[in-house]
Amino acid sequence: MRMNPFCMCCAVNKQEKLIRKFDDTAKKTEYMKKVMTLIANAGPQDCAPSISIDIKKLYAAYWGEKPDDYTEIKHEFNQLMLGLEDRLEERIRSSADPLATALLYARIGNYIDFAALSHVEKDTVLSMIDSENKEPLDPAEYNCFLEDLSHASSLVYLTDNCGEIVMDKLVIRILRELYPALTITVIVRGIPVINDATLDDAEEIGLTSLVKVIGNGDGVGGTWLPGINKETRHLLDTADVILAKGQGNFETLNDCGLNIYYLFLCKCEWFQKLFHAQPLQGMFVNERRVSPDR
């Protein structure tokens, strides 16, 4: 998804809010000029997540501040979700359609996003889980997904955030049981970024003992094709089915034409506008059929 005026303004506004704590107005003005120059010089393959990396580097160098360390909070949310794993799996297995139910829980987990949301509350995610996210998956798209799986030999699962990855593990467990001949590879971020899941998170929650997990070699909050390593690119290009979690994966991959099923919550005004959605409304859409309003 290419840069657009809304995301450009959003990036500028976030930086202005971030530097309000500083007193030097002249220095702040110069900094904002540099931010706007980065955005103005964005290349044709750039998107909001890729530009945000350049802005973060600029901020750290200009203001002499290290990026926030999310290690502790990632561990906290991983453990929170691990504590719910058995209960969620029981609900999934006792439901009429375990795969659809697992996908719904995985979509709820997409709430745990410190990049898109200003506040992520444990009570909120627990409440969303208990409500069982009554809005179902799009039935037509889910049927297409099942049809694709019935003929597929390979599936790539693109994860998004910490904590959420526990729900992803439950989806993968069900997929392995329903489609034992399906080769599943999970891809996580190659470099830590905000609270996105990395190999460390995959190991902490036991995903690496269930399925092959690799890092994509990049620190962009999504799967930005110009930045990922060759192994990840090959897996994506040759996969029969790709399941991609989170807004960041939609932002970085939309218009690539691969057979991607995106599963996410609409967490910002732009996505709500694109999909005519309410805040935190769940989406399940396919790359080759989705037509969001531009």
Side-chain angles (χ1 to χ4, degrees):
M1 191 171 80
R2 295 182 178 86
M3 293 291 289
N4 60 77
F6 188 98
C7 293
M8 294 166 79
C9 290
C10 180
V12 170
N13 291 334
K14 282 183 177 179
Q15 292 304 303
E16 188 280 324
K17 290 178 182 177
L18 194 61
I19 65 173
R20 287 181 187 178
K21 61 185 178 182
F22 301 117
D23 296 325
D24 190 334
T25 300
K27 187 175 181 180
K28 290 195 289 185
T29 301
E30 188 61 31
Y31 173 74
M32 291 306 299
K33 288 181 180 179
K34 291 181 181 293
V35 169
M36 289 186 281
T37 298
L38 277 177
I39 295 172
N41 292 334
Q45 290 185 298
D46 275 310
C47 54
S50 67
I51 289 297
S52 72
I53 296 298
D54 295 329
I55 294 175
K56 287 173 187 175
K57 291 177 180 177
L58 171 65
Y59 179 89
Y62 197 87
W63 298 105
E65 290 191 0
K66 294 181 179 180
D68 291 334
D69 184 356
Y70 287 85
T71 303
E72 184 176 337
I73 201 159
K74 288 174 73 177
H75 173 70
E76 189 177 326
F77 274 89
N78 283 339
Q79 292 303 311
L80 175 68
M81 293 299 105
L82 280 173
L84 299 174
E85 182 180 2
D86 290 345
R87 177 157 62 101
L88 293 179
E89 184 168 4
E90 184 178 344
R91 289 184 184 179
I92 288 167
R93 293 189 180 281
S94 63
S95 67
D97 187 339
L99 179 56
T101 305
L103 288 168
L104 287 177
Y105 279 123
R107 190 171 67 181
I108 291 172
N110 192 232
Y111 166 79
I112 308 170
D113 187 342
F114 287 82
L117 299 173
S118 56
H119 298 287
V120 176
E121 303 292 344
K122 290 181 181 179
D123 288 345
T124 300
V125 69
L126 293 174
S127 175
M128 292 171 71
I129 288 171
D130 285 337
S131 74
E132 300 187 21
N133 197 358
K134 294 181 175 58
E135 182 186 357
L137 303 173
D138 180 274
E141 209 56 82
Y142 182 59
N143 285 334
C144 289
F145 181 60
L146 295 179
E147 178 65 19
D148 283 349
L149 287 175
S150 70
H151 301 291
S153 61
S154 61
L155 179 142
V156 169
Y157 197 116
L158 300 173
T159 65
D160 195 12
N161 300 306
C162 70
E164 172 183 358
I165 198 173
V166 175
M167 280 86 147
D168 297 331
K169 183 173 71 169
L170 294 173
V171 173
I172 291 163
R173 189 172 287 154
I174 298 298
L175 282 170
R176 288 188 59 185
E177 293 175 8
L178 293 175
Y179 305 94
L182 186 67
T183 299
I184 302 173
T185 306
V186 174
I187 297 176
V188 296
R189 306 289 187 262
I191 300 171
V193 53
I194 315 294
N195 70 303
D196 289 16
T198 62
L199 276 173
D200 287 342
D201 299 292
E203 289 173 358
E204 180 181 357
I205 63 100
L207 184 57
T208 51
S209 63
L210 179 67
V211 70
K212 180 181 179 181
V213 184
I214 68 166
N216 68 7
D218 197 23
V220 169
T223 306
W224 189 49
L225 296 180
I228 59 176
N229 55 33
K230 290 181 180 179
E231 182 180 11
T232 300
R233 184 60 193 260
H234 175 72
L235 285 166
L236 291 173
D237 287 341
T238 58
D240 295 315
V241 181
I242 301 167
L243 183 57
K245 293 293 300 300
Q247 285 187 178
N249 277 319
F250 185 91
E251 289 177 278
T252 49
L253 287 168
N254 183 227
D255 293 329
C256 72
L258 297 171
N259 188 27
I260 305 174
Y261 287 86
Y262 298 103
L263 186 68
F264 59 87
L265 299 178
C266 292
K267 290 171 285 191
C268 74
E269 289 183 47
W270 180 244
F271 270 75
Q272 290 157 30
K273 175 183 179 298
L274 284 180
F275 293 100
H276 305 285
Q278 298 299 312
L280 298 182
Q281 183 174 334
M283 306 301 300
F284 186 59
V285 296
N286 182 272
E287 164 70 17
R288 294 172 176 171
R289 290 180 289 275
V290 65
S291 298
D293 291 343
R294 300 296 184 181

